[in-house]
Amino acid sequence: MAVFLSTYVNKVDRKGRVSIPAQFRQSLAKTSAPSTVYLWPSLNHQALEGADQDYLDVLSESLESPDLDADERDMIETFIFGKLIPVSSDAEGRIVLPKELAEFAGITEEAAFIGRRKTFQIWEPDALKAHEAALREQVVRKDISLSQIVAKASRGAAGRSGEGA
Amino acid sequence: MAVFLSTYVNKVDRKGRVSIPAQFRQSLAKTSAPSTVYLWPSLNHQALEGADQDYLDVLSESLESPDLDADERDMIETFIFGKLIPVSSDAEGRIVLPKELAEFAGITEEAAFIGRRKTFQIWEPDALKAHEAALREQVVRKDISLSQIVAKASRGAAGRSGEGA
DNA sequence: TGCCGTCCCATGCTATCCCAAGAATGCCCA
DNA sequence: TGGGCATTCTTGGGATAGCATGGGACGGCA
């Protein structure tokens, strides 16, 4: 599965095309469908989410889980798979941002790609800045630190040791 | 089996014809009966459900399972198989929406196809919007996020490890 | 014989492909 | 250590093919 890191801001031309950051493309090259990315509107932000085929396969599988209640499944089917748009890149590594998605995220002239490991997001650059500012405030308020999180997670993993990778 | 994604809104002409979205057609092309789709009224919504031949075969088979109680089987047979209408597409990839189904879903001028992976739904566009708005409210209220669901599902899968994949 | 459904043909629009060039980066050589 | 060269990336525009949509004609059923 591809890994997406860093933030890149690229221009959207009047046909609605954007270059996928070269780093993302290199990552996508290792996946089962290198020239296809899947886009959908974020459940929680005015932004787009993106992932590769392999991630979607995992997600699709997790929907088969009997632990998931019917309402949640219905929501995911409607809001993720119902909104999911497979987008294939051209020879230059560009994709066309579907109109309804661009509108949803308020993207017009520029698009900010932000890597989130297994997925990435696409934001309107100013909206991203605002979002980051708000998040940073929370970090300060809640006094979150990285070392703390790592410590907490490894404590939890020790309790569940032997669980899948 | 075909996979249906995304949402497409197409016009219904005065003969009752609608184009099946090209993406859906491409998906259907790989199935055992590419030019036939099966439609039936949704059990839970004022909308239509659709699927390909292969999906119906699987559904039919699962009705043979002894685990299914008689009431459930009876319901499925009455409301799904009893209402099922096979619809074949013309050379342009259009189908004629059966009158009683169009009426059931309130479809007159436009039809919204919404992919749900193995099946799809057909809605009257405004009704779909209302439905989505209601669902989105639930997403906010329950504070649902995608990564959460994936995590939950994989935890569940780990707990059931050894079960057939 | 009249009506309804199916098939065939025509058209505007949209999206996809192809070709091209400027800019930035990194590398090599002097 | 500095400058020049080459490669890669991003961005732009035109041509082409596919798709959604509309109307008319033919055949079958009532």
Side-chain angles (χ1 to χ4, degrees):
Chain A
M1 194 182 297
V3 174
F4 306 103
L5 300 173
S6 310
T7 299
Y8 304 87
V9 178
N10 287 342
K11 286 194 181 168
V12 180
D13 67 21
R14 48 184 151 144
K15 290 182 180 179
R17 296 178 300 186
V18 213
S19 286
I20 299 173
Q23 297 288 342
F24 284 19
R25 288 207 298 270
Q26 283 183 19
S27 193
L28 284 165
K30 300 166 196 161
T31 68
S32 57
S35 63
T36 304
V37 295
Y38 291 83
L39 300 179
W40 68 95
S42 165
L43 278 182
N44 313 302
H45 307 291
Q46 289 242 327
L48 309 182
E49 304 267 352
D52 62 5
Q53 170 82 60
D54 298 342
Y55 179 84
L56 264 295
D57 288 344
V58 171
L59 181 60
S60 182
E61 227 173 88
S62 66
L63 275 197
E64 307 291 341
S65 163
D67 300 339
L68 206 63
D69 69 73
D71 276 356
E72 280 190 12
R73 177 175 300 123
D74 195 45
M75 273 181 236
I76 300 295
E77 298 258 15
T78 302
F79 281 120
I80 308 297
F81 290 96
K83 305 286 184 181
L84 240 179
I85 302 183
V87 178
S88 55
S89 61
D90 61 18
E92 287 76 36
R94 285 178 295 193
I95 55 171
V96 177
L97 283 184
K99 229 174 294 169
E100 64 270 28
L101 290 185
E103 272 174 29
F104 175 83
I107 294 170
T108 55
E109 308 212 325
E110 286 188 324
F113 289 74
I114 167 168
R116 293 175 66 85
R117 293 192 305 146
K118 298 177 182 176
T119 65
F120 58 88
Q121 294 179 339
I122 308 178
W123 288 73
E124 196 284 318
D126 289 336
L128 177 59
K129 266 182 207 159
H131 174 63
E132 283 179 348
L135 262 189
R136 182 163 285 277
E137 206 171 289
Q138 279 193 41
V139 168
V140 172
R141 181 149 40 81
K142 294 191 179 176
D143 193 27
I144 292 172
S145 84
L146 196 55
S147 50
Q148 210 173 22
I149 288 176
V150 173
K152 194 190 290 182
S154 49
R155 229 190 356 267
R160 294 193 312 277
S161 68
E163 212 168 82
Chain B
M1 194 183 297
V3 174
F4 306 103
L5 299 173
S6 311
T7 298
Y8 304 88
V9 178
N10 287 342
K11 287 193 181 168
V12 180
D13 66 22
R14 45 183 152 147
K15 292 181 180 178
R17 296 177 300 185
V18 213
S19 287
I20 300 174
Q23 297 285 347
F24 285 20
R25 289 207 298 269
Q26 284 184 18
S27 197
L28 284 166
K30 300 167 196 160
T31 69
S32 58
S35 62
T36 304
V37 295
Y38 292 83
L39 300 178
W40 68 95
S42 165
L43 280 182
N44 314 301
H45 308 291
Q46 288 240 328
L48 309 181
E49 305 266 350
D52 62 4
Q53 171 81 59
D54 298 343
Y55 180 83
L56 266 293
D57 289 346
V58 171
L59 182 60
S60 179
E61 228 173 87
S62 65
L63 278 193
E64 308 293 335
S65 162
D67 300 339
L68 203 63
D69 71 55
D71 280 354
E72 274 185 295
R73 177 177 299 123
D74 195 42
M75 267 183 250
I76 301 287
E77 289 192 340
T78 302
F79 286 117
I80 307 296
F81 289 95
K83 306 282 185 181
L84 244 179
I85 301 182
V87 178
S88 57
S89 62
D90 63 17
E92 286 77 35
R94 285 179 294 194
I95 55 172
V96 176
L97 283 184
K99 229 172 292 172
E100 65 270 28
L101 289 184
E103 272 174 28
F104 174 82
I107 293 169
T108 54
E109 308 212 324
E110 288 188 321
F113 290 74
I114 168 168
R116 293 173 67 86
R117 292 192 305 149
K118 299 175 183 178
T119 65
F120 58 89
Q121 294 179 338
I122 308 178
W123 288 72
E124 197 285 317
D126 289 334
L128 177 60
K129 265 182 206 158
H131 175 62
E132 283 181 351
L135 264 187
R136 181 163 284 278
E137 207 171 288
Q138 281 194 43
V139 170
V140 173
R141 181 149 39 82
K142 294 190 178 179
D143 193 26
I144 291 173
S145 82
L146 198 56
S147 47
Q148 215 171 20
I149 286 178
V150 174
K152 192 193 289 184
S154 50
R155 221 183 11 259
R160 295 191 314 280
S161 66
E163 216 169 76

